Amino acid sequence: GNAKIYDNYHRNSVGMRNGLAYHFVIGNGSKSGDGEIEIGSRWDRQLNGGHVRSAKVNDKGIGICLVGNFQEGRPSARQIAALNALGGYLRDLVPTRTRFAGHREIDGRNHTVCPGKYFPTAQMHRQFPNEW
């Protein structure tokens, strides 16, 4: 996938009038570059996200999607490098304290397995402890 494909899906299949639910999409080399950071219109227009079921989180959270199924395999090294770079950029840009959280941590363990068992969630928590 890529931002354009997800935008189309969110608009036409899910009925999201603002389209792409995420602020950023990080490609895996299939339909966009491996580690390519695509900036969504929600970021450009500073719109709330639509990436989780919690309106509170969508109101304040920044949604970042890494393309891939991380129940079946790991994100690429380029995707992780891009996520780290984007996380550092956002940590410096956004003046308030925020934190890293995976989709499952927000939407509940019974709703989704996202980001998947092969996603380095613990590494992201160590790298961005209560700051990202």
Side-chain angles (χ1 to χ4, degrees):
N2 62 30
K4 183 177 180 179
I5 291 169
Y6 294 150
D7 179 72
N8 183 54
Y9 173 76
H10 290 150
R11 282 181 197 281
N12 299 313
S13 296
V14 180
M16 298 178 81
R17 64 183 170 95
N18 289 316
L20 180 66
Y22 314 104
H23 296 92
F24 300 94
V25 175
I26 300 177
N28 68 353
S30 63
K31 302 288 183 185
S32 59
D34 186 12
E36 177 184 354
I37 299 171
E38 295 182 273
I39 301 169
S41 65
R42 287 181 191 264
W43 182 258
D44 289 338
R45 297 175 12 213
Q46 290 295 287
L47 299 175
N48 293 347
H51 46 283
V52 296
R53 291 183 183 207
S54 168
K56 180 180 176 182
V57 173
N58 284 332
D59 288 349
K60 296 182 180 189
I62 298 171
I64 303 171
C65 171
L66 274 72
V67 177
N69 181 342
F70 306 125
Q71 279 294 96
E72 295 180 2
R74 299 186 187 287
S76 74
R78 288 182 178 180
Q79 284 181 296
I80 295 299
L83 178 59
N84 288 333
L86 179 58
Y89 169 79
L90 293 170
R91 179 184 54 210
D92 294 343
L93 180 69
V94 179
T96 60
R97 270 185 74 136
T98 58
R99 66 183 183 95
F100 169 84
H103 190 170
R104 178 178 59 202
E105 296 171 305
I106 297 167
D107 271 354
R109 300 193 187 278
N110 294 325
H111 167 68
T112 182
V113 297
C114 181
K117 64 185 176 184
Y118 294 114
F119 184 84
T121 301
Q123 173 188 335
M124 291 297 109
H125 282 296
R126 285 191 304 273
Q127 188 154 342
F128 298 100
N130 297 318
E131 294 179 18
W132 186 67

